[in-house]
Every structure is written in structure tokens, then in C-alpha cells.
């Protein structure tokens, strides 16, 4: 259990400016309990989160920040939780550092947990709330509540009286009851996500226009409007209504998807293995269709019935003309619309509707404009083989995108079947084949024979080829920041320490491993300190966590500086202590914490208690430079993204050691 890795996180405020921790805990909780039926109760937890801090949902995917967790201490033979706690709406944003989506609250959070009693003689419920709250640093919260089922009262059990140091437990006091928390405000990142969906969908609509099923219909449709409209004003009015009809049809499709699956269900399913495998198969199916394997067609009877309705004239006839366009062009627009709905639906909320607004707006705009201004038709390029080239290119894109979903399924199960190198090899093959196709070296079904390629096609082929070559160094560990978030993270690979470094790893001292480029780090304090004494170097302790985003940022953006990398590699002995490691300690090494009275069971418990007890800080990252007698050589620092500032701090610690 993750909460067991953090049993000491009841320090409400650490006055540790060097660790960038807040003066007090950034989340305040209140709770109440209500009776639902004879043997069921509803526990409500309301949290108020300080500005710019985030608390992470129970459903946030593995590989990122630690999710919130509710457990009970005395439930055995007394009561049981009915499913997961119901959450107030959360926000969603992609974390480039971890390569996963994260679900979080920014201002307020409300949790409702239903419990069902099984022992009528028991009137006490003990709830343990664990979560991670992050801003510039990440702090774990562990709150305890007790509920009296007989009197329906709730009280928070506080184990510390002094906010800056561990102290004796104080007398529990009754928690205040509050009104249900309102839904959290949208974060700026959430707004950006919706805008990104709209922009991508809008350009996808333009891409759909340049397919053989849609482009030739522009002059055909415009000529119908020109002949049917008796006046120019009527023609403009009909054109506008036609465009709006297209938008209405596609927005209705997005609304149906939202209604069928709910505002948030697909969002929560986005890390489900089967969900991602089905989407992978669906996108491969779409890609094969675009590449010319087959065509996705709706029944001809549908088109015939709609065509007959379109002949009625008036606004009803125009509406059915728009529906006929959607049906007839489905073999080209269907895969694009399907991909958009898959991606948008996994974002949750109204994303499918927003996506369809963007797609249909781009699709409708040219029909409206050319119907208003028929003279512009002369500037349109003629239909030809280039339309199929666009369609095939979309097929290659669909195929590449499909592996994002397969990769996510593999990451969730940690199967290591689609590690970073294999993913990149597939992308190199797909984009390389696309480049060869654009250069005319590959011919697919429905292609028109050409004696030469256009300049535009050549330039596009060169761009795709350049991107393909850019991917190749990733096979040897290059970060590939342009596609951050698409391939598996660097550590999820066959050679996490870098290609050709297995022999180096094998020759490392016991307890050490390679991190970054070629920096050696110990994960055991005693072994690292003993090695430092042996080689005569100072120690740098790195209090870190597997789910610590700012720890990864420091490693990727600060430690990668050549000057800092050189010091970490050659001038200090690095000891990285993971405070969220869940590996259980041997029974003989488990003990009761003097600070909280709770049992230290995991490796993470052990290192976190060490951090709090010795350095009075709960936030990660925390960096400490010490000598062989374990004395600090300078003030510890936390998250320090300024390379020069961190470099000077590191040099200062090493210099003081060398003077001793």
C-alpha cells in the first residue's frame, strides 16, 4: 500500500525555506458523516487547497504523481467500503516529465465514501486519508479521522502539536462540519487542453477536405446552390445554412458520444488496458483503410434515402444535403472523425463536442465561402492523384498514432513488450516508409502513375525524412524532446542506463547503479557513506521519489549541465534515497516510529523518517552535502531550477570538504 510508504506526513508546516516548503500544510480538511440507510453511511471529506497547489486523484495514472488513497484502520469484521470514493470534478493535464496524464484538483476537493456496517455493536470508524500535494515541491499528506456512528460526529485525530517539529500527540478535537465543496475552478492548463483539441480538430477538418471523397464535392455542391438560388442574397443565406447544417450534424455526433459514455467515464478509462488496446486496433483499422486496403462505407440505402429528402428544397432540403455530404464522404472523413473522437473522448468533459465543432467548422467553411463567391472556384486546383496522396499520408499518421495507445496499455501493465527502443523502431519504419512514398519509391492501391513528383511533395518528403533521421539517436538514449510524451519514458527501455553500458553497471560497487549519463548513485545510505570514506570524497544525499516530478526536472535539466554532471560524476558520492519506495523491509528491520507511533514497514518509510528526523523537511527533492562525520557542509537546498545557482551551491559544498 502506498500510504504505508508515507506514515510520517502529519507535519502541518515546515519552516524550511531552503526546502521551499510552505509555512503550513497547503490543504485543510474537514469531514462529516451521515446515515444513508439502516446499515450504510456516507462519509464526506472537504479539502481547501492553497493557490497553485495540486492534489492528485485516486484515478491519476501510475508513473506520475502519487494518487489519493482512502483506507480504514478498523474495518475488519466491522464494516466495509462500498467501492471507491466519489470525487468532485478534477482537472486533467499531460505531464511531459513522466509521459502520462495527471488528474488533480486545484482549489477545492470533495470526497464521498459510502461504508456498509457488518457489526451492529461497533460504533467507531477510523479513516486514513493519504495524498500528494505539489507546487514547486511535493509533500505527502496523511490525515486521520474518527467517526461515531451512534452520534454521527466526526473528529480529526492530530498527532502533532508543533507544526515545525515532531511532538507528542495532542488531544483529538471535533472537526467542523462544512457545506459540500464546490467544483474546482478550471486550471489554465485545462483551458489550453480544450483549445489544443479545437485547433487539432480544425486542421483535421482541412485535411479531410483534401481527400478524394470530399474535395471533388465542393464544385458540385456550389453549382447546386448557384442554380437553385434565384438571388445572390438567397444564395448567401442558403450557403450559410448549409455550413451550419454540417456543423450541427458533427456536433450532434460529438454530443452523442458524450451522452453515451458520460462526461468523465472515458477520461477515467484512458489508462485502462482494454480501452487502449481497442483504440489501438481501431486506429490500425482506420489506417489500413486510408492506405488503400479497403473503404469504410455506410449502406448505400442511407445515401439514397437522404438524397431523396435533399430534393425537397428549402431549409429542410439543405439540411439533408449536408447529411448526404457526411454520408457520401464517410469513407474519408470517418477515420479522421473516429480518431478525433477517440482522442477527445479520453480527455473527458465536453472535449468530443469541442472537437467536432473544430472539425466541422473547417469542413463547412470552404463550402460556405465558395457558395457565396462562386468566382473563387477558378482558383481551386483540379482533382487528381494528389488527393489520394493526402489520404495515404493521413493513413501513415493514423498508423503512427495507434502505437501511442498500445504503448500506454503496455506501460499500465508494465509488461515491457513495447519498450522505448521498439516503439522508436516502429515509428522510424512508419515515417521512413511515408518519406519513401512521397518520393515515389512506394506505390499503393489507387495511386495515379506519375512521371515526376511536385516540388511540394518533394519538400514534404524531405521534412518527413528529416524527422525520421531525428528519431534514430533515440535508440541510443537521446531524449527526443520534440515528441516528448509519445514514446515510453527513457527509463522504460531495454537499456535504461544507455546502450553499451551493461559492463560498466556490472563493475559498480555493491548497492550502486548508473543514473543519468554515467553518474553512479547508491540507494543505501550506509553503503554510500562507507564508499565515500574509502575514496575520500564528500557525500551528496538526494532525497527523491519515483513519483517526484521536480526531481526528474532537476535530473533532466540541471544535472545534465556539463559542469554539474562532472562534479556529480567525479567529485562527490551520490546517495539517492527514494522516500516512496514500496519494497517492504525485512521483519527484523521494521520498527515503531518514535515520531508518530506508527510502524515503519517499507524502504520509503525508512528514508522519509530519516529525512524528517535529521533534516526537518518533508519535501522532495532535497539535496544535502555532508562530510564523512555526517555534518552538513552547507545549507541543504530543494528544487533549484537555476543551473548557475545550483552549480555554485554544489561547488561550495565540495570546496568546504576539500579545506577540511
Amino acid at each position: 500500500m502506498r500510504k504505508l510508504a508515507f506514515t510520517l506526513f502529519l507535519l502541518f508546516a515546515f519552516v524550511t525555506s531552503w526546502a521551499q516548503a510552505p509555512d503550513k500544510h497547503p490543504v485543510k480538511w474537514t469531514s462529516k458523516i451521515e446515515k444513508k440507510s439502516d446499515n450504510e453511511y456516507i462519509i464526506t471529506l472537504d479539502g481547501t487547497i492553497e493557490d497553485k497547489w495540486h492534489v492528485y486523484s485516486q484515478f491519476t495514472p501510475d508513473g506520475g504523481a502519487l494518487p489519493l488513497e482512502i483506507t480504514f484502520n478498523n474495518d475488519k469484521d466491522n464494516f466495509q467500503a462500498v467501492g471507491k470514493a466519489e470525487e468532485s470534478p478534477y482537472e486533467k493535464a499531460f505531464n511531459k516529465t513522466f509521459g502520462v496524464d495527471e488528474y488533480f484538483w486545484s482549489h477545492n476537493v470533495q470526497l464521498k465514501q459510502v461504508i456498509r456496517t457488518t457489526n451492529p455493536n461497533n460504533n467507531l470508524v477510523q479513516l486514513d486519508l493519504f495524498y500528494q500535494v505539489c507546487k514547486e515541491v511535493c509533500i505527502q499528506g496523511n490525515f486521520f479521522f474518527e467517526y461515531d456512528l451512534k452520534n454521527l460526529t466526526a473528529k480529526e485525530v492530530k498527532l502533532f502539536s508543533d507544526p515545525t517539529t515532531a511532538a507528542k500527540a495532542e488531544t483529538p478535537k471535533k472537526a467542523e462540519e462544512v457545506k459540500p465543496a464546490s467544483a474546482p475552478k478550471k486550471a489554465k492548463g485545462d483551458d489550453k487542453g480544450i483549445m489544443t483539441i479545437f485547433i487539432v480538430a480544425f486542421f483535421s477538418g482541412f485535411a479531410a477536405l483534401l481527400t478524394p471523397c470530399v474535395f471533388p464535392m465542393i464544385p458540385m455542391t456550389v453549382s447546386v446552390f448557384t442554380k437553385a438560388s434565384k438571388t445572390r442574397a438567397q444564395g448567401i443565406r442558403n450557403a450559410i445554412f448549409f455550413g451550419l447544417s454540417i456543423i450541427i450534424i458533427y456536433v450532434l455526433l460529438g454530443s452523442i458520444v458524450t451522452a453515451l459514455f458520460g462526461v468523465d467515464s472515458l477520461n477515467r478509462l484512458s489508462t485502462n488496458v482494454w480501452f487502449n488496446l481497442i483504440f489501438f486496433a481501431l486506429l490500425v483499422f482506420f489506417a489500413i483503410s486510408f492506405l488503400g486496403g479497403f473503404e469504410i462505407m455506410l449502406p448505400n440505402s442511407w445515401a439514397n434515402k437522404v438524397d431523396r429528402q435533399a430534393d425537397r428544397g428549402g431549409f429542410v432540403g439543405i439540411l439533408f444535403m449536408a447529411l448526404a455530404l457526411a454520408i457520401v464522404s464517410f469513407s474519408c472523413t470517418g477515420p479522421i472523425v473516429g480518431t478525433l473522437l477517440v482522442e477527445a473522448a479520453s480527455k473527458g468533459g465536453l472535449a468530443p463536442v469541442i472537437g467536432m465543432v473544430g472539425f466541422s467548422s473547417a469542413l463547412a467553411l470552404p463550402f460556405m465561402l465558395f457558395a457565396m463567391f462562386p468566382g473563387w472556384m477558378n482558383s481551386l486546383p483540379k482533382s487528381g492523384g494528389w488527393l489520394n496522396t493526402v489520404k495515404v499520408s493521413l493513413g501513415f499518421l493514423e498508423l503512427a498514432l495507434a502505437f501511442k495507445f498500445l504503448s500506454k496499455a503496455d506501460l499500465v501493465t508494465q509488461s515491457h513488450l513495447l519498450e522505448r527502443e521498439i516503439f522508436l523502431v516502429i515509428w522510424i519504419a512508419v515515417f521512413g516508409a511515408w518519406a519513401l512514398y512521397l518520393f515515389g519509391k512506394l506505390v499503393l492501391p489507387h495511386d495515379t502513375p506519375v512521371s515526376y513528383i511536385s516540388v511540394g511533395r518533394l519538400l514534404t518528403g524531405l521534412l518527413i525524412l528529416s524527422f525520421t533521421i531525428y528519431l534514430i539517436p533515440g535508440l541510443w538514449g537521446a531524449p527526443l524532446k520534440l515528441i516528448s510524451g509519445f514514446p515510453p519514458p527513457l527509463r522504460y527501455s531495454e537499456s535504461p542506463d544507455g546502450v553499451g553500458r551493461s559492463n560498466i553497471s556490472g563493475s559498480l560497487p555493491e548497492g550502486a547503479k548508473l543514473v543519468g549519463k554515467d553518474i553512479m548513485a547508491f540507494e543505501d545510505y550506509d553503503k554510500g557513506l562507507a564508499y565515500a570514506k574509502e575514496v575520500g570524497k564528500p557525500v551528496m544525499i538526494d532525497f527523491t521519489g519515483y513519483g517526484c516530478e521536480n526531481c526528474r526536472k532537476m535530473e533532466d535539466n540541471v544535472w545534465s549541465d556539463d559542469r554539474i554532471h562532472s562534479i556529480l560524476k567525479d567529485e562527490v558520492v551520490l546517495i539517492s534515497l527514494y522516500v516512496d519506495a514500496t519494497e517492504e523491509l525485512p521483519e527484523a528491520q521494521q520498527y515503531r516510529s518514535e515520531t508518530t507511533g506508527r510502524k515503519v514497514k517499507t524502504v520509503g518509510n525508512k528514508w522519509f523518517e530519516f529525512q524528517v528526523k535529521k533534516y526537518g523537511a518533508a519535501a522532495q527533492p532535497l539535496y544535502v552535502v555532508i562530510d564523512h562525520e555526517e555534518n552538513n557542509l552547507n545549507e541543504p537546498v530543494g528544487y533549484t531550477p537555476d543551473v548557475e545557482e545550483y552549480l555554485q551551491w554544489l561547488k561550495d559544498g565540495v570546496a568546504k570538504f576539500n579545506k577540511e
Side-chain angles (χ1 to χ4, degrees), residues 598-610:
R598 302 186 73 194
K599 197 169 185 180
V600 174
K601 296 181 64 177
T602 68
V603 173
N605 293 161
K606 175 182 176 181
W607 297 135
F608 181 73
E609 172 144 332
F610 175 58

Side-chain angles (χ1 to χ4, degrees), residues 343-564:
E343 186 65 22
S346 67
K347 303 296 182 186
L350 295 176
V353 177
I354 299 299
M356 289 302 95
V357 169
F359 178 84
S360 58
S361 297
L363 194 66
L365 191 60
F367 286 93
M368 293 168 59
L369 291 176
F370 285 115
M372 291 179 187
F373 308 101
W376 291 4
M377 293 292 299
N378 297 326
S379 61
L380 276 179
K382 294 182 179 180
S383 300
W386 65 275
L387 292 175
N388 192 66
T389 302
V390 172
K391 184 179 177 182
V392 169
S393 295
L394 291 173
F396 282 113
L397 276 176
E398 292 262 4
L399 191 59
L401 183 60
F403 284 93
K404 173 189 174 184
F405 292 95
L406 184 61
S407 172
K408 185 174 285 189
D410 186 60
L411 283 167
V412 169
T413 59
Q414 290 289 296
S415 301
H416 287 268
L417 298 176
L418 188 62
E419 293 178 318
R420 186 178 176 90
E421 292 90 345
I422 299 175
F423 182 96
L424 290 176
V425 164
I426 293 171
W427 266 38
I428 290 168
V430 170
F431 284 97
W434 186 7
L436 290 174
Y437 172 78
L438 292 175
F439 291 142
K441 301 301 181 182
L442 290 179
V443 180
L444 294 174
H446 312 303
D447 278 340
T448 303
V450 293
S451 56
Y452 65 92
I453 60 174
S454 65
V455 174
R457 183 167 171 170
L458 173 65
L459 294 176
T460 305
L462 289 173
L463 180 65
I464 302 301
L465 179 61
S466 300
F467 178 72
T468 305
I469 296 173
Y470 167 79
L471 295 176
I472 294 175
L475 297 173
W476 287 270
L480 304 180
K481 293 181 180 180
L482 281 180
I483 58 169
S484 176
F486 279 90
L490 284 164
R491 289 167 297 175
Y492 196 80
S493 62
E494 294 181 0
S495 303
D497 295 327
V499 175
R501 294 180 184 170
S502 57
N503 292 334
I504 299 176
S505 299
S507 62
L508 293 176
E510 183 184 357
K513 71 173 187 178
L514 289 179
V515 297
K517 295 179 182 177
D518 47 7
I519 301 170
M520 182 180 70
F522 287 85
E523 293 186 356
D524 182 274
Y525 180 79
D526 293 331
K527 291 178 180 178
L529 183 60
Y531 183 78
K533 292 177 180 179
E534 180 183 333
V535 297
K537 296 178 182 180
V539 170
M540 190 183 91
I541 307 174
D542 164 32
F543 288 101
T544 184
Y546 295 112
C548 173
E549 178 179 358
N550 283 328
C551 302
R552 302 293 87 75
K553 287 182 178 178
M554 288 292 293
E555 293 162 11
D556 294 341
N557 303 325
V558 178
W559 287 13
S560 58
D561 180 86
D562 289 339
R563 297 164 296 173
I564 294 173

Side-chain angles (χ1 to χ4, degrees), residues 26-27 124 159 191 292 317 357 372 422 444 506 576:
V27 188
L124 180 67
L159 300 183
D191 294 334
V357 169
M372 291 179 187
I422 299 175
L444 294 174
S576 294

Side-chain angles (χ1 to χ4, degrees), residues 1 61 77 103 138 177 265 271 320 326 360 367 444 482 489 501-502 504 519 600 633 642:
M1 299 290 289
D77 299 326
Y103 311 151
C138 288
E177 290 192 3
S265 60
T271 56
F320 277 98
S360 58
F367 286 93
L444 294 174
L482 281 180
R501 294 180 184 170
S502 57
I504 299 176
I519 301 170
V600 174
L633 293 169
D642 187 308

